[in-house]
Amino acid sequence: MNLRHGQLWQRLGLTVLSGILVASLAPATAAAPADGQDTHSDAEAADLTLSSADSSVVTPAASQDRVASDGADASDASDSAESTESADEATASSEEDSGDVRTYTYPGTSGPTRIHVISTQGSDAILLESKGVFGMIDGGEGLGAPDGSDPRYPARPGISAASKGDTQRVLDYMSSQGVTSSNLAFYLGTHPHSDHIDNADDIIYRFHPRAIFTPEYSDSWISDPNTLWDNQWVYDRMIAAASWAQRSYGATLVQHVRNYGTHVQIGDMDIQIIPFDPEESYKLHPIRDANLLGWGSVVSAFGHRAFLAADLEIEGDLEDRIAAVVGHVDMLKAGHHGLTTSNSESFMATLSPSMIIQTNPEWVTPDRLTTSVTVSGNASWAPTADLWDRARIPAVVGTFTESGISYNDLSAASWGHEYYQGVTPRAWWFRGARPQSTYGWWKGWSGNWYFFTGHPYCATSQWVNDRGSWYWMDSTGAMATGWIYDGSSRYYLDGKGNPTAQGWQRVDGNWHYFVDGRASIGWLADRGAWYRLDEWSGVMLTGWQKVDGRWYYMRSSGAVVTGWQNVDGAWYYFDGAGVMVTGWNQVGASWYFMAESGKMVTGWLRDGDAWYFMQSSGSMVSGWKSIGDSWYYFADSGVMATGRVIVSGRMSSFAESGRWLGYVS
């Protein structure tokens, strides 16, 4: 795959999750079933001689070997060591054609027609069979890796560890299905990445395929040095094994496939090789990644079809071009293990498979690969790594018949799947390649927790109760923490998703008051004081606040003030409910006048047609008052006297300004 194995996860920016199921989840995985795959007693007798239709095929001549690295069997060591020529210099004899249609036919005798997509750790290994004849496409990651001692094969970053491989699993599975050194018709290596062809040499040396198909390769054709990995090393080992096969038993090596005209027929099965670049333009114009020079294959039998997409990618119009060639299929082996670089919406729509097989864990799956499974409900999906991890199912086996393609029992394997975007709810539960109802918690690769309530999809936008505790599942289905709004109230949930907050709590620098996690809003009475909490956020308000057209002032503690208050150097009066007073206001035995702003007025005051004088304390003056150099008289109502007024039994005269002019005799 390359993005592959240990480095794949980092390149995707994801974290491998383990132990993601809790005790309350769906029933535990059952014990691994028996393989359930028949071996065929007639396989040894299968005749792999080319049919007469292929009389034009020339028996390969002896050729110079490429160096076979440490993967060759001991019995083959002398053969693999005969040449030390470089990969570019050595040429194994191959079937060279100029675009002619070529069909390689291996009739077989009897037996079923099947595709086996072997469950590996994330690599491709696909076994085909029909009438006791077999073919192998790729072979998965193998053991061993270049250590840098040979300058042709540097120990580059990203190379899979030498100890990590599926060699024995693949070889044992092939043997368990009846593959021998006399009934393997062909081996096809789709492209020179270790997670596809690392085991090619082991397969060739052990099972002796009659024909070997693989595109030519050289590191010089790759423009991005970060995608070279151990490509040349695994390719040269495969070619060394192919050269040995040519000399040892007359195998055919085919490295040039043009115009989609090359077919291999085994029994009732036809395999059409689909080169991604039939013109091999990459030899003149280097490409970013060896995935782009790969070969896919369309497998057909009894009117039904499967497309094995190798590591086909979206880049440019590559997928769309290939989709136009392939058309609708019943089964898809997803391109590039189901990674986000492959399986575009248009590609999936054109192929519209009823079964999607992904050679990787479920969590690397892009949304577009499986929306047809969960949203439309018209497809099945099997990630082989999960089939193995969950139920030790060794392969997805599709059997071709006149009525369609049927599959082996996958029901022992169940897994959760988390969509990243585009699908709501984001979390679904699967069993046996189909959505399956379940109950309980599941943790997705993102770290989000989801809760299932007896459906294949998680709960969304609702409260759920689990063992006496409440949790809010958001619109995507993820368990919420922190602030949430449930449609009627705001809650603050702790790190475990519980609404545990009580009383006064400081959150994000603001004070709130909670009752069972719910944020109080509006007026709040607490311990003899009133507080105002924002109508939406529940934040405790301070300072000036206007509520229902009335002004209030809250201390820094949030408590509503009453009575006289000095705010920013001005005096205000607030009644017993905390409402700011304006206009005339009697406090005790004195009258005060508060401006429209609420500020207490001092000095001269005109109210209507009358004048008043307010002392520095704000209290209204009555009786005689010396102001400046003059005397004034104010009635008990506070109104300033003008004209002739009897005061204390004598007539006094006052100017229009209120200034006393003297007594009138």
Side-chain angles (χ1 to χ4, degrees):
M1 135 176 106
N2 287 322
L3 310 172
R4 60 185 192 273
H5 299 316
Q7 299 241 334
L8 167 62
W9 322 135
Q10 293 93 328
R11 291 172 181 255
L12 288 174
L14 305 176
T15 303
V16 177
L17 302 180
S18 61
I20 56 178
L21 300 178
V22 299
S24 61
L25 195 56
T29 302
D35 288 349
Q37 316 304 326
D38 296 333
T39 58
H40 311 296
S41 59
D42 58 341
E44 289 280 359
D47 183 7
L48 298 189
T49 306
L50 291 177
S51 72
S52 59
D54 300 297
S55 58
S56 61
V57 177
V58 180
T59 302
S63 67
Q64 296 175 313
D65 288 342
R66 300 180 186 258
V67 173
S69 299
D70 37 304
D73 294 341
S75 61
D76 305 318
S78 61
D79 295 301
S80 62
E82 289 178 9
S83 172
T84 58
E85 293 189 72
S86 71
D88 292 330
E89 295 170 340
T91 54
S93 178
S94 64
E95 194 58 35
E96 299 286 346
D97 65 64
S98 58
D100 297 336
V101 173
R102 296 284 179 138
T103 300
Y104 301 81
T105 303
Y106 306 90
T109 54
S110 64
T113 298
R114 293 170 168 167
I115 294 180
H116 307 247
V117 184
I118 302 172
S119 301
T120 65
Q121 301 175 73
S123 58
D124 273 21
I126 303 169
L127 178 66
L128 309 179
E129 69 167 311
S130 184
K131 288 188 171 180
V133 181
F134 295 86
M136 190 68 186
I137 297 178
D138 290 330
E141 188 72 53
L143 300 173
D147 58 10
S149 59
D150 188 330
R152 295 174 298 174
Y153 311 121
R156 298 184 176 103
I159 294 176
S160 297
S163 60
K164 186 175 182 179
D166 298 306
T167 303
Q168 203 58 50
R169 183 185 300 184
V170 171
L171 297 178
D172 287 351
Y173 186 85
M174 293 175 69
S175 296
S176 75
Q177 302 308 304
V179 183
T180 70
S181 60
S182 63
N183 60 18
L184 184 62
F186 72 92
Y187 172 84
L188 192 161
T190 61
H191 63 290
H193 281 167
S194 68
D195 57 343
H196 289 258
I197 67 165
D198 204 357
N199 290 321
D201 56 340
D202 294 281
I203 293 169
I204 293 169
Y205 289 129
R206 180 166 174 173
F207 296 111
H208 301 179
R210 297 299 185 266
I212 299 162
F213 301 86
T214 195
E216 284 188 325
Y217 176 78
S218 169
D219 275 352
S220 64
W221 300 338
I222 305 302
S223 60
D224 185 355
N226 296 316
T227 66
L228 293 175
W229 298 295
D230 53 354
N231 303 352
Q232 195 73 62
W233 184 75
V234 295
Y235 175 80
D236 288 354
R237 290 173 55 183
M238 176 179 61
I239 295 301
S243 298
W244 169 87
Q246 289 179 295
R247 296 191 315 276
S248 299
Y249 58 86
T252 298
L253 175 62
V254 179
Q255 294 201 268
H256 304 282
V257 172
R258 311 280 188 179
N259 301 322
Y260 318 114
T262 296
H263 293 251
V264 184
Q265 294 179 349
I266 58 172
D268 293 320
M269 179 182 285
D270 178 84
I271 300 98
Q272 179 188 12
I273 299 177
I274 307 293
F276 300 159
D277 184 359
E279 302 303 317
E280 299 180 353
S281 58
Y282 48 84
K283 294 181 178 179
L284 298 175
H285 307 286
I287 53 178
R288 174 188 56 80
D289 192 292
N291 290 335
L292 305 177
L293 59 80
W295 291 356
S297 53
V298 175
V299 180
S300 306
F302 308 118
H304 305 285
R305 308 168 75 237
F307 181 48
L308 310 179
D311 278 1
L312 179 63
E313 296 201 345
I314 295 172
E315 186 166 316
D317 62 348
L318 181 56
E319 273 197 343
D320 289 337
R321 282 196 296 104
I322 298 301
V325 174
V326 174
H328 167 67
V329 296
D330 301 273
M331 175 201 293
L332 169 67
K333 195 293 296 183
H336 206 175
H337 314 276
L339 296 178
T340 55
T341 56
S342 301
N343 311 292
S344 67
E345 287 85 351
S346 59
F347 176 79
M348 296 300 296
T350 299
L351 271 63
S352 61
S354 56
M355 168 60 87
I356 304 164
I357 301 174
Q358 176 194 349
T359 52
N360 233 342
E362 64 78 21
W363 62 268
V364 302
T365 305
D367 297 354
R368 57 181 176 265
L369 187 64
T370 55
T371 50
S372 61
V373 182
T374 55
V375 178
S376 305
N378 56 2
S380 299
W381 164 56
T384 57
D386 292 292
L387 297 181
W388 179 257
D389 291 341
R390 307 287 181 189
R392 290 298 186 263
I393 296 174
V396 178
V397 182
T399 301
F400 290 74
T401 64
E402 296 288 348
S403 59
I405 305 176
S406 62
Y407 299 92
N408 56 319
D409 184 9
L410 307 177
S411 62
S414 59
W415 61 91
H417 179 58
E418 179 185 25
Y419 288 92
Y420 177 66
Q421 59 186 5
V423 177
T424 298
R426 284 188 184 170
W428 290 69
W429 191 254
F430 286 81
R431 185 179 181 87
R434 293 290 303 149
Q436 175 72 42
S437 297
T438 191
Y439 189 91
W441 290 101
W442 177 70
K443 190 177 185 182
W445 56 262
S446 66
N448 289 327
W449 284 96
Y450 300 90
F451 194 81
F452 294 84
T453 57
H455 302 283
Y457 47 85
C458 64
T460 62
S461 301
Q462 67 184 80
W463 290 101
V464 298
N465 187 286
D466 181 48
R467 291 168 288 187
S469 295
W470 288 96
Y471 305 85
W472 177 255
M473 317 313 292
D474 70 17
S475 60
T476 73
M479 183 195 78
T481 60
W483 286 108
I484 67 101
Y485 180 69
D486 71 352
S488 60
S489 300
R490 295 189 82 220
Y491 291 79
Y492 189 78
L493 310 177
D494 63 22
K496 296 181 179 180
N498 302 132
T500 57
Q502 296 287 354
W504 289 107
Q505 300 288 331
R506 194 173 182 90
V507 181
D508 300 330
N510 297 307
W511 284 98
H512 302 259
Y513 192 88
F514 296 97
V515 179
D516 296 331
R518 179 176 56 83
S520 298
I521 60 173
W523 289 110
L524 170 72
D526 181 50
R527 290 172 288 186
W530 283 93
Y531 301 83
R532 183 70 183 180
L533 308 172
D534 183 78
E535 291 282 354
W536 164 248
S537 67
V539 170
M540 182 193 76
L541 303 176
T542 61
W544 287 106
Q545 301 295 332
K546 191 174 186 179
V547 182
D548 297 329
R550 299 176 178 179
W551 283 98
Y552 301 81
Y553 189 80
M554 286 75 171
R555 304 182 190 275
S556 59
S557 67
V560 174
V561 301
T562 59
W564 288 107
Q565 297 293 328
N566 188 295
V567 181
D568 298 328
W571 284 96
Y572 300 81
Y573 190 82
F574 301 87
D575 66 16
V579 177
M580 182 191 77
V581 173
T582 61
W584 289 104
N585 182 52
Q586 186 177 21
V587 182
S590 300
W591 284 91
Y592 300 83
F593 191 89
M594 321 307 285
E596 193 66 28
S597 66
K599 290 182 180 180
M600 182 189 75
V601 175
T602 60
W604 287 107
L605 167 69
R606 182 167 184 169
D607 183 27
D609 294 329
W611 283 93
Y612 302 81
F613 191 82
M614 319 303 287
Q615 302 192 73
S616 60
S617 67
S619 62
M620 181 190 75
V621 171
S622 63
W624 289 103
K625 178 68 175 178
S626 175
I627 303 171
D629 295 330
S630 301
W631 284 92
Y632 299 81
Y633 183 80
F634 300 88
D636 290 343
S637 66
V639 175
M640 180 189 75
T642 59
R644 292 187 176 186
V645 178
I646 296 175
V647 180
S648 300
R650 297 184 68 178
M651 181 70 71
S652 290
S653 177
F654 298 91
E656 230 10 74
S657 65
R659 183 171 61 87
W660 182 61
L661 299 176
Y663 293 110
V664 178
S665 58

